[in-house]
Each structure stands twice: as structure tokens, then as C-alpha cells.
Amino acid sequence: MVSVFSNLYLKLSILFLAVVLVYFPGKNGPFVADDFPNILDNSGVAIDSLDVDSIRSAMVGNTGARFKRPLAGVSFALNYYFSGQSYDKQVFKLTNIAVHGVNAILVFLVARLLVGAYAPSCPSDYVAWLVAMVWALHPLQVSTVLYVVQRMTSLSTSFVLMGIWLFLKGRLALNAKYSLILMFAGCISGTGFGVAAKENALLLPFMIAVCEFFILPREQNRSRSDKSKLRIYYALTLVLPMLVGLVLLLVAPDFIFRDYAVREFTPSQRLMTEARVLFYYVGLLFYPDNRSFGLFNDDFPISFGLFNPATTALALVGIIVLLTVPVRSLLCRKESLVGFAIMWFLVGHSIESTIYPLELVFEHRNYLPSVGVVIFFVLGVYQFLSKYVSKSFINALFLALIVALSAGTYLRASIWADLDSLAYFEVRNHPSSPRANTVYANTVELKVGPNIESYQYYLKAAKLNNYEIASLVEAYLELSRLIYLNRVKVYEAPVTLPRSYDDSIQINMAYMEELRHLLNQEVIRRISAKSSPLRTMLELRSVANCLINDDYECREISGDIEGWIDIALSRPEFYDQGMMSLIKAKVLCKRGEVQKAFDFMEKAILAAPDKVYFQTEKAYLLITLREYEKAEAIIDVVEKWPNVNGFDRKEFSTLRDFIRASRVKDLNSNS
């Protein structure tokens, strides 16, 4: 028994160590994309103590998620706190790597039980270890592991896998007294804790059902007691949630469909596109070419019809054909490894790859769904080859596969180790991605300052999407920086002036001024032409802050910036009118038009009367005007609201500190 345990311990140690070694080059990689709003710009993460209010603020700091993802928020806050209250990239990244190592062990534990149940003649420990190695060291997982914010995905997967493992321990000992307790404990705890990291864990009961219907044995002589246990379990964990979900969809469809207002596709277009996306994911799994991977996949074309593009119809037919395998298995009441892999993959994608209005493509969405595919591949290959070749040959084959996957992952982790290399390979792998081009432009600018290359890449990003505002505004700002920095130079008059916003740039004052005018007209056209998605509002908010902070590139263009904001405000359907009104109020306050600023502040509050953030912004505005008593009165009232949380209380504390500091400053200046 001791030798068996030692051998198992050695296998799991090798598994965890392999994960650490392969991902170690990425430990100092940069924060990117959604890391900023969710971690670096989230004051709930920046805790300075471990008291109750600090932990509460970390739990609810994620304002973009329906269920706040409190466990993920707390994990980020603990990283910050134990890093000496700093955003130490290495600590955040190493935590992600450790979570992935733990998940690899959990994949082993789940796969061992499933392999043992489906193929008792196979060495379940060894096959499960191969499954865990192939899954954990696959290059597809890199953007989950080294993209810090995707700890939400990996933590959620941890609890889902633990829940499945607990369920299987009870289910495979169905005649034991504790079996039903373990089954319910696995499902309820795994779902509950998993949802606290990311909502995907709501799929746990359905993934358990996939194991039940396609892998677990169907004993013909099962006792009445055992049958009753299964009926009770699935009635409460599968049938009931399905009915509740259906009722919610019928009664409150806006809960899902309202967010399509910020997307560039309809529900039907998303469904058709996701059919193609699923096959794209399968391609990445079975042919992991590093030239195909990318953090940004916004270059994936939308399906506007069954034959636009033509592969849409093929993908839909392909999914229907694949579904015949699990359907046949269910009708014949037989186990099916292929049916298990297909249904695990599809169920695993059923939130993020169906009608829910998320962005279309991200690699990290395969983190959990890929587990079932890898189990199918490894077990299927092992069973097939064991009939014809020696075990030594099988071992050598899987060793070669693991080494190849590890090399690809190590290389990709090395790319993630540096912002320059990450930006370069993102734009190389996805040259038609607006975001990849924008990130590359921004990276070059951070490195060398305002330059023509950055301008060209911002402009390229804008041209790739006819309604993209963010990258177009960044091109406009980069041109403004170039104008400011080159104004002292004297140039001959240009031969011709630009005629279109996307004409090539020339370092000539008259030419660049006209080009900026054309860019401004294009920004106006795009804001006027379409109720643009969330990124447009965020970009207008960012450029307004540029104006408010008196950044040099925005000093001469205040009229253009305010014009963009006014156009957005003139359109009732434009996303988040409350936030746009707040942006306008802050710009007016900066300009000294206090009464107009308060008018727009009231419009913002009227648009969302129960939004604590708008009330705190009003208090900030009052403080800047030295109306301290009025600001304190707002805080005193709002902190009694029932929807106030720990994050808000921390903000109130900051406001009160600001008031005290402002009063002291006023006294000192008067004395």
C-alpha cells in the first residue's frame, strides 16, 4: 500500500512540477487587456488590511459580472496584500500557475474514476496521468494561465472538477449509505463555490449528467433503492434547474438579451457564428500551431447568413451530424466515449458559445470543455494501440506527444513573458484583429514615444472595423501628439492635402492639421451612424479624462472631444446615457460651468437613481467646489442604502479622508 501511494505521489509531483517548469518563463509577463479594469483599476483589490470591510470590498469590486465573482476578487486582493500592497506581476502570475497545477491534479483524479468506470481493464492511474499531462501542458491553456484575470476561469474549473470528483466517489459506491450525500455535496458545493469565481460553474450539474449517461456503467440488476437515489438526485439537480432556467428565459428574457445593445451582432448571427467557432476550437486542440493562437480573436468573421460565409452551413450540419452519436447512445442505452467527448465539449460551451451576448471567440473558454476531449483522445488511442503494439511503443508515443506539447507551451509562455514580444506575436498571428493592432501600436508608443508607426497601426485597427471608435480616437490622439511635438519645426507647404482620414501621414503642419480634421469627421460619422458597443463609451470616458487632466495632446482639441460626447448624448439609444451624462458633467466642471455640470450630474442620477457610483461622483464634484457639508450629507444618506456594499463603504471612507485633507489645505492657505 505504501509503495502504491508513493508511486501515485511521485506521479502527481511530476505532473505539478511539469506545469511549473513549462509555464515558468511567463512568470514576469505583463498585465494586459481586462487585467486593468478588473485588477489594477479596481480599488476593491487594493486592500491595506484583512478586516471584514476590506474583504467585502474585494468580493464585490467586479462591477461587470452578474454574480460579482467574489472568490476571484478576494484571491486578487490577497495577492496584492501579501505582495507588500503592490501589483507584483510575478506573484499574480505564479498564483495562476499554481492554480493550474492543482487543476491538473484534479483532472487526474476525475479522469482516473471515469477511466476506471468505463474501461476497467485499462490501467486507470496511468491513463489518467497521461490525460492530465496532455491537458495541462497543451499550448491552448496558456492564455488562461498567464492572463491573470482568467483566474476566474481556472478557479471556477477547480471547484467544478472537485464537485465532479465528489459526485463520482458517491455515484460509484451507490449502495453505500453516504453515496447520495456525496453526490449532492459535490454538485451543490462545486456549483456554489464555482459560481463565486465565474458563472460557468452553473454547468456543473449538466456535466455530471454527461458522465452519467455516456461513461458510467448501466447495471441491469440495480436495486430499487439505488434507482430511487438516482431519480431523486437528477430530479433535483438536473430537471429542476432546467425548468427554472426555462421559466426565467420566458419570464425575463431581457436578463440575457438586453446586452445585445452593445454588440455588433444579433442572437441568430451569434448562434451561426459560434457553430464555426466550435470547430475552430477543435482545430486548435488537435493541431496546436503556435501561429494560430492569440489573446485577441476579434478578427473572426461574423456569420450574417447560412451561406455568408459558406462555412456557416457546413458547421451547422457538422454539429447536427456529431449530435447523432450521443443521441444514438442514449436511445440504445449504451456507454459511448465519443458521445461523452462531444457532449462534454458542447455542454462546456453552452453558456459562452450560444445565445448569451458575450464576445465571439476566446481561447480560455476551452479550459474546462477540453478536459472531456482529452480524456476521449488519450483513452481512445490507448485502447486502440494496446491491441496492436507493445506498451513500450505506446509509452514512447505519448512521451513524444507530451514533449511536443510542452515545447509549444514553453515557447508560448516565453512570448507572454514580455509585452513587446506578446504584442508582436499577437499582431503577427492575427493581423486583421483591431485589438491586436491597437495593442501593438500602444506598445510601440510606450517604448519610443509618439511615432508614425503607432499612428499607422491605430489607423489600421480602425479601418478593420467600420464602426470601431476606440482605435480611431487613439489614431486621432496620436496624430495630435505628433502635431504638438513637431509644431516648432518649419516645413514647406505640402504638394497636396489629404482627402480621406486614412490617407498616409506626412510630417507637415498643414497636412497633419487637415488630416486631423478628417479624422474628427470620421469619428463623428461613426458615433452618429451606429449605437456603438461598450468600448465606444469607455473610449469617450478615457478621452474626456485626458481633457480633464489637461494632458498636452488634448489641450487644443477640447471642442472636438466635447462634440463627440454631445453627439452620443443626443442619441437616446446610445449605450449607458447615465455614464455619458456624468462624463459631460465632469468636462463642464473642468471648464468652470458649474451649474451646467450639476444639471448633467442630475441627469446621470435620474438615469440610474440607485447607482451608488453616481452619488459618490456628485460628492467628489461638491468637494472640488469646497461644498464640504453638502458632500458629507450625500455620503451620510447613501451609506444607509440597502444596496451599499464593502466596496462602496471603502469609497465613502476615501471621500471623508479627502474632505478632511481639503479642509486642512484650505485652512493652511488662508492662514
Side-chain angles (χ1 to χ4, degrees):
M1 181 71 177
V2 175
S3 62
V4 172
F5 177 80
S6 300
N7 187 35
L8 177 59
Y9 180 81
L10 178 62
K11 285 178 181 177
L12 297 184
S13 298
I14 291 172
L15 174 61
F16 191 88
L17 183 61
V19 167
V20 173
L21 290 175
V22 166
Y23 282 93
F24 201 68
K27 71 183 187 305
N28 290 316
F31 291 108
V32 294
D34 286 349
D35 288 341
F36 289 92
N38 289 283
I39 302 172
L40 279 78
D41 299 333
N42 179 356
S43 59
V45 169
I47 61 174
D48 53 15
S49 66
L50 296 180
D51 57 42
V52 173
D53 278 347
S54 294
I55 298 301
R56 283 178 178 170
S57 68
M59 292 175 70
V60 298
N62 188 330
T63 57
R66 293 283 171 90
F67 299 123
K68 302 297 183 184
R69 304 177 183 179
L71 281 180
V74 169
S75 77
F76 297 139
L78 292 175
N79 276 159
Y80 176 87
Y81 180 79
F82 287 109
S83 300
Q85 296 175 37
S86 68
Y87 295 102
D88 187 329
K89 294 179 290 186
Q90 186 171 127
V91 171
F92 281 84
K93 300 273 184 174
L94 286 175
T95 303
N96 274 31
I97 293 170
V99 171
H100 185 55
V102 170
N103 284 346
I105 293 172
L106 291 170
V107 167
F108 166 83
L109 294 174
V110 169
R112 182 171 62 163
L113 293 176
L114 290 175
V115 170
Y118 180 79
S121 60
C122 282
S124 57
D125 274 13
Y126 180 60
V127 173
W129 185 78
L130 291 175
V131 167
M133 289 287 281
V134 170
W135 177 81
L137 302 177
H138 197 291
L140 184 56
Q141 317 300 5
V142 170
S143 60
T144 306
V145 179
L146 295 180
Y147 187 10
V148 177
V149 75
Q150 288 311 323
R151 189 183 306 167
M152 297 172 179
T153 296
S154 57
L155 265 183
S156 178
T157 298
S158 299
F159 291 109
V160 168
L161 291 171
M162 280 190 271
I164 293 173
W165 180 75
L166 270 177
F167 164 82
L168 290 172
K169 295 293 285 186
R171 171 63 179 80
L172 294 173
L174 197 57
N175 57 353
K177 292 182 180 179
Y178 60 81
S179 61
L180 198 58
I181 295 174
L182 277 180
M183 290 162 65
F184 275 113
C187 184
I188 294 170
S189 64
T191 303
F193 285 109
V195 167
K198 192 174 182 181
E199 294 79 0
N200 296 54
L202 290 170
L203 296 173
L204 172 57
F206 303 95
M207 305 199 84
I208 285 174
V210 170
C211 297
E212 176 71 56
F213 297 135
F214 298 101
I215 287 288
L216 300 183
R218 302 169 184 264
E219 293 92 347
Q220 300 300 320
N221 55 351
R222 187 175 289 153
S223 68
R224 181 176 297 176
S225 173
D226 290 349
K227 290 179 180 178
S228 296
K229 286 180 180 179
L230 289 176
R231 290 193 187 102
I232 292 170
Y233 173 81
Y234 284 109
L236 294 176
T237 65
L238 187 64
V239 177
L240 184 60
M242 288 176 67
L243 291 174
V244 170
L246 183 61
V247 169
L248 285 175
L249 184 61
L250 294 174
V251 173
D254 280 353
F255 182 78
I256 290 178
F257 294 108
R258 68 186 181 193
D259 287 343
Y260 273 99
V262 302
R263 298 299 177 201
E264 297 178 350
F265 44 78
T266 65
S268 61
Q269 288 169 350
R270 189 177 200 280
L271 275 174
M272 290 188 292
T273 305
E274 289 302 325
R276 293 167 39 239
V277 170
L278 291 175
F279 283 100
Y280 170 72
Y281 290 155
V282 171
L284 293 179
L285 265 170
F286 284 97
Y287 185 64
D289 185 346
N290 268 343
R291 293 171 296 180
S292 301
F293 292 120
L295 174 62
F296 304 111
N297 290 272
D298 51 330
D299 54 343
F300 200 93
I302 297 171
S303 291
F304 293 102
L306 288 175
F307 301 99
N308 182 18
T311 50
T312 304
L314 289 175
L316 289 168
V317 170
I319 288 175
I320 293 170
V321 171
L322 287 175
L323 283 172
T324 61
V325 176
V327 169
R328 184 173 181 275
S329 172
L330 288 173
L331 293 175
C332 297
R333 299 181 61 80
K334 290 183 179 180
E335 298 83 18
S336 169
L337 185 60
V338 180
F340 162 78
I342 292 170
M343 290 308 299
W344 179 289
F345 186 75
L346 293 179
V347 169
H349 279 291
S350 59
I351 288 180
E352 294 177 307
S353 297
T354 52
I355 60 172
Y356 203 78
L358 302 169
E359 293 186 50
L360 295 173
V361 190
F362 279 112
E363 291 174 3
H364 65 258
R365 293 176 182 170
N366 292 279
Y367 193 69
L368 180 60
S370 61
V371 172
V373 178
V374 174
I375 291 173
F376 153 73
F377 173 78
V378 172
L379 179 56
V381 169
Y382 187 92
Q383 284 184 307
F384 176 79
L385 291 179
S386 61
K387 299 175 183 178
Y388 304 105
V389 298
S390 67
K391 288 185 178 180
S392 298
F393 182 85
I394 296 174
N395 293 342
L397 182 67
F398 277 108
L399 177 61
L401 175 62
I402 290 169
V403 168
L405 292 174
S406 299
T409 300
Y410 185 90
L411 176 61
R412 199 171 179 215
S414 300
I415 291 170
W416 274 72
D418 178 76
L419 181 58
D420 288 346
S421 63
L422 179 60
Y424 169 77
F425 281 99
E426 284 294 321
V427 81
R428 186 205 70 170
N429 290 3
H430 292 271
S432 298
S433 161
R435 289 191 187 176
N437 281 278
T438 299
V439 168
Y440 181 78
N442 184 249
T443 303
V444 174
E445 185 187 347
L446 288 173
K447 191 173 182 179
V448 303
N451 64 95
I452 292 176
E453 184 182 15
S454 289
Y455 171 79
Q456 290 170 334
Y457 274 92
Y458 282 132
L459 191 62
K460 179 182 176 183
K463 289 165 64 178
L464 287 166
N465 184 332
N466 200 35
Y467 294 110
E468 167 67 13
I469 302 292
S471 54
L472 185 66
V473 170
E474 289 300 323
Y476 177 95
L477 292 176
E478 188 71 358
L479 181 59
S480 294
R481 296 182 191 105
L482 290 170
I483 290 173
Y484 181 88
L485 294 174
N486 288 281
R487 179 150 287 159
V488 296
K489 300 178 182 179
V490 179
Y491 297 94
E492 295 179 1
V495 176
T496 58
L497 290 175
R499 295 183 177 181
S500 172
Y501 80 94
D502 56 355
D503 282 355
S504 60
I505 188 172
Q506 296 179 24
I507 301 300
N508 178 284
M509 285 303 105
Y511 187 95
M512 289 194 294
E513 291 282 5
E514 179 62 19
L515 189 58
R516 185 165 64 178
H517 171 69
L518 293 170
L519 278 167
N520 176 51
Q521 289 184 327
E522 178 63 13
V523 173
I524 291 171
R525 185 197 69 78
R526 293 190 182 193
I527 296 176
S528 303
K530 185 179 175 68
S531 180
S532 301
L534 177 62
R535 273 168 55 83
T536 298
M537 188 277 289
L538 294 175
E539 184 64 23
L540 292 179
R541 185 179 181 182
S542 175
V543 77
N545 287 334
C546 172
L547 182 61
I548 293 165
N549 295 335
D550 199 29
D551 294 338
Y552 75 88
E553 64 264 45
C554 294
R555 290 172 188 166
E556 298 179 351
I557 58 173
S558 59
D560 289 351
I561 294 172
E562 290 189 53
W564 304 338
I565 296 169
D566 289 340
I567 292 169
L569 280 168
S570 70
R571 305 190 62 213
E573 76 279 14
F574 194 88
Y575 179 76
D576 203 338
Q577 282 287 308
M579 184 60 73
M580 292 306 307
S581 295
L582 175 61
I583 292 168
K584 179 69 174 179
K586 294 174 80 170
V587 170
L588 288 167
C589 183
K590 171 68 176 178
R591 204 165 66 199
E593 298 185 35
V594 178
Q595 187 53 56
K596 286 185 178 179
F598 272 106
D599 290 343
F600 276 96
M601 184 67 75
E602 292 304 324
K603 286 182 181 180
I605 292 172
L606 186 63
D610 59 346
K611 195 164 186 173
V612 176
Y613 173 69
F614 288 170
Q615 300 289 341
T616 57
E617 284 296 318
K618 183 177 180 179
Y620 269 118
L621 179 57
L622 288 166
I623 294 169
T624 60
L625 298 173
R626 295 184 173 86
E627 299 279 355
Y628 303 128
E629 291 78 11
K630 291 181 180 179
E632 286 178 326
I634 289 175
I635 299 168
D636 291 341
V637 171
V638 176
E639 68 181 351
K640 296 174 184 176
W641 288 5
N643 62 327
V644 167
N645 52 50
F647 179 82
D648 298 324
R649 291 189 182 91
K650 185 175 179 180
E651 190 68 17
F652 299 151
S653 178
T654 302
L655 277 167
R656 288 193 168 102
D657 290 341
F658 188 28
I659 291 171
R660 283 192 291 270
S662 298
R663 279 176 165 158
V664 170
K665 185 178 178 181
D666 287 350
L667 286 172
N668 291 336
S669 62
N670 291 332
S671 63

